[in-house]
Amino acid sequence: MKNSRSGNLHFVKLDKGEELISTVSSFANEIGVVSAFVTGIGVLKNIELGYFDVQKSAYDIKKLNGEFELVSLMGNIGRVDGKAGVHFHVVLSDKDFKCIGGHLLKADIGVTCEMVIASTDMKLERTYDPDTKLKLLSPSCCEEN
Amino acid sequence: MKNSRSGNLHFVKLDKGEELISTVSSFANEIGVVSAFVTGIGVLKNIELGYFDVQKSAYDIKKLNGEFELVSLMGNIGRVDGKAGVHFHVVLSDKDFKCIGGHLLKADIGVTCEMVIASTDMKLERTYDPDTKLKLLSPSCCEEN
Amino acid sequence: MKNSRSGNLHFVKLDKGEELISTVSSFANEIGVVSAFVTGIGVLKNIELGYFDVQKSAYDIKKLNGEFELVSLMGNIGRVDGKAGVHFHVVLSDKDFKCIGGHLLKADIGVTCEMVIASTDMKLERTYDPDTKLKLLSPSCCEEN
């Protein structure tokens, strides 16, 4: 990966073969970013997507082989158990331009991935929610409306 | 909902069961944001999407039951008839990871929704366009190129 | 098109019939923006999408007639051969709310398109990569991690 920074904006260019989730998590932890908003485009391969089944409180998993255009990555970085944790949703398109989407569990970069990480000094925390069994994001110092 | 602010960035976390459009509109009006750019991810249910039929100058409507991953919400807030009005387009994915998209008319939160509102001091206004019969966004003080 | 600016944020409203890629490229070159991150929604027509075939190192092209909701445009502007060049990925939805996505080669505006260009003083450059035969984006002054 390569990166560049201007103020609170970090441009991150991932290289072919790098794993997206672990590479971005490591980068965020290294540079001390624990609350951020993220977007990105590129080409991915060896992908695992999740669909959250509310009744089961668990993710159904789909594995995709081959290369897919990453037409949208959107998500955030928040503190989970004291470290930066990522939460990304993606839309992929296949060779027939059909879209496949979900919660991104893992993916390798095919060709390239161009991401923007907008860091902020908000304190976003993921904490365990017994109702859904998910770690849900909340601002830790926030007004309740 | 809960929210946090840092400069012009507002993080908004909507809770299960809240209606997305009305909750975000009310929040924007309460805090005095009338021009902003918005992104978000989460899980939605009880959704109504619109497809704008140019020939009819009207939206075809699709109602979706059950829960869908909100893989992308993108849009803006502008002044409509003196108040903050939202314009959101969404991509949803179902249990088969298939994507459904359109103009968001209404939706309830299923599980959670994590949104970012970047407010700006631009003066974005929606005004009636007799050609399309839509209220189209324009900067009210702008250069025409 | 019409545009408004606040700090590093440019709101751009494209009008019916304008070609998206050439209009945004010309605008970026006119105002001297060579590194930026872009999002947008609207309605498009006369669209050409590309899917990058890694084996062939070339784009497969799909032409779409009729009007499509632009449910997500995401991408960036970087310097290519000394000028601002755009790289946009899109998700479109049709009258059945089905999503079609890919690399945007060209499109005319149907009804409207509302875009945000966040310019930055990073130096993002697209340079030829002999492996993929693509011009890949890189920060020109960057740390390698």
Side-chain angles (χ1 to χ4, degrees):
Chain A
M1 68 165 289
K2 295 183 185 66
N3 71 285
S4 184
R5 179 184 180 164
S6 175
N8 74 321
L9 284 183
H10 300 262
F11 171 75
V12 175
K13 187 252 187 261
L14 300 180
D15 294 314
K16 194 174 168 176
E18 291 183 301
E19 199 283 313
L20 196 153
I21 298 283
S22 56
T23 304
V24 175
S25 300
S26 297
F27 175 68
N29 278 298
E30 274 169 32
I31 63 168
V33 166
V34 285
S35 294
F37 306 113
V38 183
T39 56
I41 61 172
V43 177
L44 300 182
K45 59 184 179 183
N46 307 324
I47 303 157
E48 279 187 31
L49 298 183
Y51 168 84
F52 189 71
D53 183 319
V54 175
Q55 272 66 46
K56 294 191 296 186
S57 287
Y59 281 105
D60 292 333
I61 293 174
K62 184 178 185 78
K63 295 188 185 192
L64 297 164
N65 295 314
E67 261 113 358
F68 291 80
E69 295 277 343
L70 173 62
V71 282
S72 165
L73 178 148
M74 193 181 276
N76 52 58
I77 299 176
R79 194 186 289 268
V80 189
D81 303 329
K83 292 197 301 184
V86 306
H87 182 209
F88 296 156
H89 281 194
V90 296
V91 184
L92 308 162
S93 63
D94 68 11
K95 63 181 173 47
D96 299 316
F97 303 88
K98 201 179 54 158
C99 289
I100 304 119
H103 172 91
L104 187 65
L105 292 165
K106 60 176 286 189
D108 293 335
I109 307 305
V111 187
T112 191
C113 186
E114 305 165 354
M115 302 179 72
V116 193
I117 300 175
S119 66
T120 152
D121 57 6
M122 293 181 201
K123 289 182 176 30
L124 304 179
E125 295 266 352
R126 291 197 173 273
T127 51
Y128 184 73
D129 171 57
D131 187 25
T132 57
K133 298 178 188 164
L134 286 172
K135 290 187 175 168
L136 296 182
L137 193 62
S138 251
S140 63
C141 316
C142 65
E143 309 160 54
E144 180 111 20
N145 282 291
Chain B
M1 66 165 289
K2 296 183 184 66
N3 71 286
S4 184
R5 178 183 180 164
S6 174
N8 74 320
L9 285 184
H10 299 262
F11 172 75
V12 174
K13 187 254 187 260
L14 301 179
D15 294 314
K16 195 174 167 175
E18 291 182 303
E19 199 283 313
L20 196 153
I21 299 284
S22 56
T23 305
V24 175
S25 300
S26 297
F27 175 69
N29 278 299
E30 274 169 32
I31 63 168
V33 166
V34 284
S35 293
F37 307 113
V38 183
T39 55
I41 60 172
V43 176
L44 300 182
K45 61 184 178 183
N46 306 324
I47 304 157
E48 280 187 29
L49 297 184
Y51 168 84
F52 189 71
D53 183 320
V54 175
Q55 271 66 47
K56 294 192 294 184
S57 286
Y59 282 105
D60 292 333
I61 293 174
K62 184 178 184 77
K63 296 187 184 193
L64 297 164
N65 295 313
E67 261 113 358
F68 291 80
E69 295 278 342
L70 173 62
V71 283
S72 166
L73 178 148
M74 191 182 278
N76 52 58
I77 299 176
R79 193 186 290 268
V80 188
D81 302 330
K83 291 197 302 184
V86 306
H87 182 209
F88 296 156
H89 282 195
V90 296
V91 184
L92 307 163
S93 63
D94 68 11
K95 62 182 173 47
D96 298 316
F97 302 89
K98 201 178 54 157
C99 290
I100 304 119
H103 172 91
L104 186 65
L105 293 165
K106 59 176 286 190
D108 293 335
I109 307 305
V111 186
T112 190
C113 186
E114 304 165 355
M115 301 179 73
V116 192
I117 300 174
S119 65
T120 152
D121 56 8
M122 292 180 201
K123 289 181 177 31
L124 305 179
E125 294 265 352
R126 291 198 172 273
T127 51
Y128 183 74
D129 171 56
D131 186 25
T132 56
K133 298 179 189 163
L134 285 173
K135 289 188 175 167
L136 297 182
L137 194 62
S138 252
S140 62
C141 315
C142 65
E143 307 161 54
E144 180 111 20
N145 282 291
Chain C
M1 67 165 288
K2 296 183 184 68
N3 71 285
S4 184
R5 178 183 179 165
S6 175
N8 75 320
L9 285 183
H10 299 263
F11 172 75
V12 174
K13 186 252 188 261
L14 300 179
D15 293 313
K16 194 174 168 176
E18 290 183 303
E19 199 283 313
L20 196 153
I21 299 284
S22 56
T23 306
V24 175
S25 300
S26 297
F27 175 68
N29 278 299
E30 274 169 32
I31 64 168
V33 166
V34 285
S35 293
F37 306 113
V38 183
T39 55
I41 60 172
V43 176
L44 300 182
K45 60 184 178 183
N46 306 325
I47 304 157
E48 280 188 30
L49 297 184
Y51 169 83
F52 189 72
D53 184 319
V54 175
Q55 272 66 46
K56 295 191 294 184
S57 287
Y59 282 104
D60 292 334
I61 294 175
K62 185 179 184 75
K63 296 187 184 193
L64 297 164
N65 295 312
E67 261 112 358
F68 291 80
E69 295 278 342
L70 173 63
V71 283
S72 166
L73 179 148
M74 192 182 278
N76 51 58
I77 299 176
R79 193 185 290 267
V80 189
D81 302 329
K83 291 197 302 183
V86 306
H87 183 210
F88 296 157
H89 281 193
V90 295
V91 184
L92 307 163
S93 63
D94 68 11
K95 63 182 173 46
D96 298 316
F97 302 89
K98 200 179 54 155
C99 289
I100 304 119
H103 172 91
L104 186 65
L105 293 166
K106 59 176 284 189
D108 294 334
I109 308 305
V111 186
T112 191
C113 186
E114 303 165 355
M115 302 179 72
V116 193
I117 300 174
S119 66
T120 151
D121 57 7
M122 292 180 201
K123 288 181 177 30
L124 305 179
E125 295 266 352
R126 291 198 172 273
T127 51
Y128 184 73
D129 172 56
D131 187 25
T132 57
K133 299 179 187 163
L134 285 172
K135 289 187 176 167
L136 297 182
L137 194 62
S138 252
S140 61
C141 315
C142 67
E143 308 160 54
E144 180 109 19
N145 282 291

